[in-house]
């Protein structure tokens, strides 16, 4: 066992929220350690394709963004967290740009798309690999800092200590003045147990949430798991792939076996997913060659000019599998995607355990029981920054 390490702030998780928290804490002057379950690159955030929301349009505002979040959550989100999320969204985008993220632009401004549940165009993108671009930029910032990184070091225990908390991460014992939990959700494990497909990385198994709950941390909406409406259903090597929802923002629509439209393609995620489930249950779905249920996503309606700019990765993946989405509809079915609920936090990201903070998918309340697309990367950035700064302040008390 390695000798204990002492730091001001310990961050658990190397997704966008953990990386943002570590960068934020370091810039606030803290000594920081970041522990990852696997490699620093292993996370769900890097797989996020659709984009990140922020109100930049002339007809938009943080208040309108907040109202869309509230409605999409079916009025279950925590209003004060939503106000922080949407109010700090433009600043979060500029912070990411300072770190090197280059969002797709056109006509002198950002290329904005309208996503499911949104009343305005406010989705910024880096092609269809936005999460990859954001996590890469954050990792570069970590690499250029004095943050101590511990890979293949999953959190196995956390307990109160004289001056904060003591954690065991892999073979390392770490004493920290404050801890930021940013270890994501549990949808990979849930999907495996249900015999379903998931978009998630295999590390998304939920142990850190349970460790916090066992310590007495309050939680909310842990039962509210979200399906991504458009999981890849065929070819076989595309099963579980999260087809970017921007396909629908740029004109793709959902069709049943009779090639009839049956739902608003830009509705909230839960409503679109349920519409697909209902259509298949009513006998109007199609079947994949290996016997799985599906409906058509008519991507032939997406203009090629839009697809080349905003969906290049999707096009490459499908064409490599022998399907051209611009020439034929693709088969899709909802897949388990996101843990909407999580640990209860305040506006600084602090849980009900003093000195323990949470941000990203492990935290609950910001999205209520149904998250809009494009708000997960935003939440990671906004609340990762807040949690890192607040944890630094807590560690110095």
């Amino acid at each position: 066992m390695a000798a204990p390490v002492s730091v001001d702030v310990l961050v658990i998780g190397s997704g966008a929220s953990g990386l943002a928290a570590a960068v934020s804490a370091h810039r606030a002057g803290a000594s920081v350690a970041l522990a990852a379950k696997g490699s620093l690159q292993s996370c769900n955030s890097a797989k996020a394709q659709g984009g990140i929301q922020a109100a930049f349009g002339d007809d938009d505002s943080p208040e309108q963004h907040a109202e869309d979040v509230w409605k999409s959550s079916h009025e279950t989100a925590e209003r004060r967290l939503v106000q922080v999320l949407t109010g700090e969204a433009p600043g979060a985008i500029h912070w990411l740009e300072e770190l090197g993220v280059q969002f797709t632009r056109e006509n002198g401004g950002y290329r904005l798309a309208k996503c499911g549940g949104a009343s305005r165009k406010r989705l910024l993108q880096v092609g269809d690999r936005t999460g990859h671009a954001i996590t890469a930029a954050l990792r570069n910032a970590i690499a250029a800092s004095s943050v101590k990184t511990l890979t293949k070091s999953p959190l196995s225990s956390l307990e109160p200590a004289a001056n904060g908390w003591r954690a065991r991460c892999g073979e390392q014992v770490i004493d920290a003045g404050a801890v930021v939990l940013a270890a994501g959700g549990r949808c990979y494990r849930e999907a495996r147990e249900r015999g379903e497909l998931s978009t998630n990385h295999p590390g998304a198994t939920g142990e850190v949430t349970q460790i916090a709950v066992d310590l007495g941390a309050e939680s909310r909406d842990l039962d509210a798991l979200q399906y991504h409406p458009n999981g890849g259903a065929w070819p076989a090597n595309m099963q579980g792939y999260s087809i970017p929802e921007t396909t629908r923002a740029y004109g793709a629509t959902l069709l049943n076996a009779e090639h009839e439209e049956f739902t608003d393609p830009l509705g909230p995620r839960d409503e679109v997913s349920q519409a697909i489930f209902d259509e298949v249950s009513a006998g109007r779905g199609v079947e994949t060659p290996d016997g799985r249920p599906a409906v058509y996503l008519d991507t032939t309606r997406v203009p090629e000019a839009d697809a080349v700019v905003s969906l290049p990765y999707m096009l490459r993946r499908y064409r490599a599998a022998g399907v051209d989405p611009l020439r034929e509809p693709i088969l899709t079915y909802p897949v388990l995607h996101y843990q909407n609920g999580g640990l209860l936090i305040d506006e600084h990201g602090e849980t009900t355990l003093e000195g323990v903070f949470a941000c990203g998918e492990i935290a609950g309340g910001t999205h209520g029981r149904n998250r809009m697309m494009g708000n997960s990367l935003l939440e990671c950035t906004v609340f990762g920054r807040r949690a890192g700064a607040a944890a630094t302040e807590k560690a110095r008390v």
Side-chain angles (χ1 to χ4, degrees):
M1 182 67 65
V5 170
S6 293
V7 294
D8 294 325
V9 177
L10 169 63
V11 178
I12 305 296
S14 63
S17 59
L19 295 169
V23 171
S24 177
H26 175 262
R27 290 187 171 186
S31 58
V32 183
L34 184 151
K37 189 176 187 178
S39 70
L40 290 184
Q41 292 83 3
S42 300
C43 62
N44 279 338
S45 303
K47 293 160 65 71
Q49 299 174 91
I52 181 170
Q53 289 202 57
F56 281 107
D58 293 338
D59 62 344
D60 203 2
S61 67
E63 293 74 23
Q64 186 59 50
H65 185 180
E67 189 60 25
D68 288 348
V69 174
W70 177 244
K71 288 181 179 178
S72 291
S73 77
H74 308 297
E75 303 183 356
T76 61
E78 174 56 57
R79 286 272 201 181
R80 61 185 176 140
L81 299 181
V82 175
Q83 289 167 358
V84 169
L85 179 77
T86 64
E88 296 188 5
I93 296 299
H94 295 317
W95 186 74
L96 291 171
E97 288 178 317
E98 289 170 8
L99 293 174
V101 179
Q102 297 181 11
F103 293 101
T104 306
R105 303 179 74 93
E106 65 179 5
N107 302 322
Y110 298 113
R111 180 181 174 89
L112 301 174
K114 186 177 179 181
C115 58
S119 60
R120 305 287 190 273
K121 289 184 176 183
R122 71 169 70 91
L123 190 74
L124 290 83
Q125 305 142 84
V126 182
D128 54 354
R129 301 200 73 189
T130 309
H132 172 79
I134 288 173
T135 52
L138 288 167
R139 282 196 304 273
N140 287 340
I142 294 292
S145 76
S146 60
V147 173
K148 180 179 179 62
T149 57
L150 304 169
T151 58
K152 297 182 180 178
S153 300
L155 179 71
S156 58
S157 69
L158 183 65
E159 58 187 30
N163 297 308
W165 294 86
R166 170 163 283 195
R168 186 181 299 278
C169 299
E171 296 299 310
Q172 184 69 62
V173 174
I174 304 167
D175 290 323
V179 177
V180 179
L181 303 179
R186 69 184 196 278
C187 282
Y188 182 86
R189 175 172 59 81
E190 286 280 350
R192 188 177 56 200
E193 291 174 355
R194 298 180 186 188
E196 298 180 5
L197 297 173
S198 172
T199 62
N200 278 205
H201 186 278
T205 48
E207 295 92 346
V208 175
T209 300
Q210 193 59 54
I211 288 172
V213 170
D214 289 345
L215 281 166
E218 294 182 30
S219 63
R220 57 166 288 174
D221 302 323
L222 279 175
D223 63 312
L225 300 180
Q226 182 177 78
Y227 284 89
H228 189 297
N230 289 147
W234 191 260
N237 63 348
M238 300 301 291
Q239 289 175 343
Y241 169 73
S242 57
I243 301 166
E245 288 181 76
T246 39
T247 52
R248 291 183 272 125
Y250 291 114
T253 196
L254 292 158
L255 305 175
N256 62 21
E258 302 301 320
H259 291 267
E260 301 166 333
E261 296 184 31
F262 59 88
T263 190
D264 176 4
L266 290 180
R269 274 184 167 170
D270 59 341
E271 294 180 8
V272 176
S273 294
Q274 192 58 52
I276 295 171
F277 290 139
D278 291 346
E279 201 71 7
V280 169
S281 294
R284 295 186 291 270
V286 296
E287 195 172 89
T288 65
D290 64 348
R292 292 181 179 270
V295 295
Y296 295 113
L297 178 65
D298 188 0
T299 44
T300 67
R301 305 187 188 197
V302 178
E304 187 163 2
D306 287 330
V308 168
V309 172
S310 294
L311 300 167
Y313 182 63
M314 185 204 79
L315 292 180
R316 287 198 302 273
R317 286 284 303 267
Y318 269 95
R319 285 169 175 169
V323 175
D324 187 344
L326 299 185
R327 301 291 176 263
E328 60 182 299
I330 56 182
L331 295 177
T332 186
Y333 195 71
V335 288
L336 208 54
H337 183 60
Y338 193 85
Q339 176 181 295
N340 286 310
L343 303 177
L344 207 63
I345 60 169
D346 65 14
E347 61 270 28
H348 304 293
E350 190 165 19
T351 70
T352 54
L353 300 172
E354 185 176 1
V356 177
F357 298 76
C359 52
E361 191 174 352
I362 198 172
T366 309
H367 312 297
R369 296 182 64 82
N370 185 58
R371 178 176 68 79
M372 296 178 73
M373 75 161 293
N375 278 345
S376 59
L377 290 173
L378 177 61
E379 179 194 22
C380 287
T381 307
V382 168
F383 284 97
R385 292 176 67 191
R386 281 189 157 237
T392 300
E393 186 174 340
K394 178 70 71 172
R396 290 174 169 173
V397 173

